[in-house]
Amino acid sequence: MSTQVPETQEADESEAETQAESVPVAQQQRQQRKTDRRERVAERERERTEEETASDESRYHLKVFRYDPEVEGKQEPRFDEFHVPYHKGMTVLDALIYARDHFDSSLTFRHSCRQAICGSDAMFVNGSQRLCCKTQLSDLEEPVRVEPLPHQEVVKDLVVDMEHFYDQMKAVEPYFQTNDLPDGELDEQRQSRENREKVKMSTRCIWCGACMSSCNIAAGDNKFLGPAAINKAYRFAMDEREGSDMKEHRMRILEQEHGVWRCQTQFSCTDVCPKDIPLTAHIQELKREAVKNNLKFW
Amino acid sequence: MYEHDVIVVGAGGAGLRAAIAAQEEGADVAIVSKLHPVRSHTGAAEGGINAALREGDSWEDHAYDTMKGSDYLGDAPAIETLCKDSPKETIQLEHWGMAFSRDDDGRVSQRPFGGLSFPRTTYAGAETGHQLLHTMYEQLVKRGIKVYDEWYVLNLAVSDEEVPEDRSCHGIVAYDIQSGEVSGFRARNGVILATGGPGQVYDHTTNAVANTGDGVAMAYRAGVPMEDMEFIQFHPTTLPSTGVLITEGVRGEGGILYNENGERLMFEYGYANNAGELASRDVVSRAELTEINAGRGIEDEYVHLDMRHLGEGRIIDRLENIVHLSEDFEGVDPLEEPMPVKPGQHYAMGGVETDENGETCITGLYAAGECACASVHGSNRLGGNALPELIVFGRRAGAHAAGKDLGTAKITTGKRGEWEAGEVDTPVAPGEVRSSNEDAVADGGKAPDAGEPSDAKRASSRAERSDGGAVATTGDEIVTRAVEAENRRIERLMTKNEGVQHAEIRSEVQKSMTRHVNVFREKEGLKQALRDLREARERYTDVYVNDPSRTYNTDLIQTIETRNILDLAEAITLGALAREEFRGAHWRKEHQERDDETWLKHTMLSWNDGSPELWYKPVILEGEDKTYEPKIRSY
């Protein structure tokens, strides 16, 4: 694997392409984040031991968005403050669960797997879209502000309506299609390791909605397919098992007015994606495909 | 009231596969699920799908390995069905576009796994479940199958004949989490339960918060027996602080377990002299805990799982997800240092009693996946056998419910075949708490006046009916009646203004179960757990919902889930106390031997008018062409 990585990320197609094709970038970033986190944790530990409070007394200060259309006193959105006892390795989700189970059982948020695979608990934490279950409290400035995902209708507290997100997903025909299945029920389609590697990152999407919520274009254009749906289309368009006819068909969906061309390469989606999917790069690659398709020079 | 031919409860692997199969048979099918399908916990499965696909492998070998792994408590017809159907079902997923890892020749990759005589675990990196779940949900979208997502199923609508085997299921009652509406769902042909595992009975589990065993508890209260509930699988490699799963694939690819002294414990202390780290899960979990109890654990809590020697290339290619999980949830980079791991609750071998076609003893009620027990896994499941279970039995239940003839099942359900009564000496009365307090939420979660009709009440209501009770009532009426009962229950929970909150009860149950009904079990501890559960049940009669809102009231949902957790926790503990032998995942301090003479039988628990009735049915070791002889199990 190549370890050549661009030093800066610019909204430049060739850079984006390099990023799409070299996994180490994501790894390097992860490494960097990890180092940063360790440093911050160490810093905190130092501060904590310097403070005179006993460690079991240390509490994290959370400001949590509250709203309930049905309950008097919660119909006007507000922030509630919680002071949650901290233990090493505690995540934002742990803190929310603690607050709900010990202080206010009406505090409402989606969560299920606790391990960054179900995509239920994407929220707006300290001004950025994150999965609460994989966000360490020690990485955050206090008070930790927890809000529902922006640009989506709030149902209650931290729960947003995901219907629009699901509709955009469905708009790109998010399922495998081919005219060329093997006859035998025990004969698999062949796929090269390289091709599987090419679509691998795109298959990691967990439908959490963080990218869609972070995208300024999607915020202003309800018809824009958005990064998650375009990534889903990429996953199939680039899969060699579907065949070229199907790819044509998929490109027609993607190159329409509210498809790939709406993307302005702000990289917000790529920045917030909890699964490190190079969304912007995928969208750029599809733009190039669309141009090639329509010019038909080759 | 909504109406469909087939209604599937739950939208994980088994539920999605069942819905697709029912639709392929021409049925109008709908899924009702408390989570949106892509949020299901099938997505967290990592390892792979066992299927005999290659030259040199055969379904017979797969069946033999599975039977041995089950410690001879699996039923041969179910095991053989699984192993025969799995290759076809696995390739079906590939035809639907699932992104399996690939070999150089472009075929799907397979890896070695615990307890297998051939590397037949077909995988997609260390995220096989995620790929499988999304592939199947894509098919659902393609077919336009109706999903009622974020609807919480409260109960089944079942007729009330005296004997469970005479009853029939006509639909369900569900609660729309977002709006607070309670509605009946009439199922013209059948209801399929696919609600997954009961991991939330424990506090250190790989399972999601949503895994509360709802389907099993509902079926149990409707009269279907629970089978083999004492057999809980503890996965040997979970992260100590969170319970997040580290796949067996790490050991399959060559990962090694070390104790504090840096000894390769599986060989050093003779836990598994041949298979080592790739012995079956019960063996490895016990080995780790034995090391920890002997003072050879690290920080007296865990052991080390080392995969650094595999090299970064191979790790990233096949186990990348594990690198992320270990970093994000334990702060350990497994490319640089070994991962801390300890056993954690992972899977329930037991569940709703079904035959190999997914049918229960109640007409029109089916179950598939982890919530069901056919039994494929007996007393211990092999790694890589859960995902094929979902797709094989999901498909069978779905097709069967939609009217496809799968032939006569060899496994009998309910008390139709051979059975014997059981006895267990309990320190407290298990089952429902009868409360005379008007304000109390009866233990059934229903108002006392709307509880299970007593025998006397049943007889009188039958006598009043002109047909003398031969036919209960119409399906619609049965669903309507169930809706009324659930409305009363919710009303009662919501109007009560003070009392105990579910979180407190739930966490006490989880603590007690984790302490007393874990990998190692002893009589006194099990009895203590029953006492704790009794206390929790009593407290539950005083439970109330603090959140007054009908909008997205998770407080209410979790309160009802807690009731299901109580029922399952009690069943697990009762079964564990009754079974006086050591078999598979069930280890008893007082009984260190497998006792085939007495215990080659399934533990059955039926909800009999508010209390659990224990009975047994024999294991079926006769396969299609051969009989499986119980042998000494060593790896």
Side-chain angles (χ1 to χ4, degrees), chain B residues 361-417:
Chain B
C361 67
I362 289 181
T363 310
L365 183 62
Y366 303 78
E370 190 178 347
C371 74
C373 179
S375 156
V376 173
H377 311 299
S379 62
N380 172 62
R381 173 172 77 76
L382 290 184
N385 264 355
L387 295 179
E389 173 187 30
L390 304 183
I391 52 183
V392 166
F393 293 100
R395 183 190 70 83
R396 291 180 82 82
H400 192 15
K404 189 182 171 75
D405 181 11
L406 299 177
T408 310
K410 296 189 185 74
I411 297 171
T412 56
T413 53
K415 290 179 178 173
R416 288 194 180 105

Side-chain angles (χ1 to χ4, degrees), chain B residues 421-475:
Chain B
E423 245 184 287
V424 59
D425 172 31
T426 58
V428 285
E432 205 169 84
V433 174
R434 312 270 181 184
S435 171
S436 53
N437 176 357
E438 268 305 292
D439 186 43
V441 176
D443 196 18
K446 301 183 197 122
D449 60 341
E452 288 277 322
S454 64
D455 286 350
K457 244 200 254 175
R458 269 205 200 113
S460 72
S461 71
R462 256 196 296 274
E464 283 163 26
R465 290 201 292 263
S466 57
D467 57 20
V471 180
T473 42
T474 66

Side-chain angles (χ1 to χ4, degrees), chain A residues 14-38:
Chain A
S14 66
E15 302 273 285
E17 187 169 358
T18 322
Q19 211 215 350
E21 281 157 11
S22 70
V23 181
V25 175
Q27 276 177 23
Q28 275 221 340
Q29 290 169 338
R30 250 197 0 259
Q31 204 63 36
Q32 189 55 47
R33 279 205 298 274
K34 211 168 59 184
T35 319
D36 292 352
R37 192 168 75 220
R38 282 196 180 147

Side-chain angles (χ1 to χ4, degrees), chain B residues 195-206:
Chain B
T195 55
Q200 287 300 311
V201 164
Y202 290 85
D203 68 6
H204 188 83
T205 174
T206 62

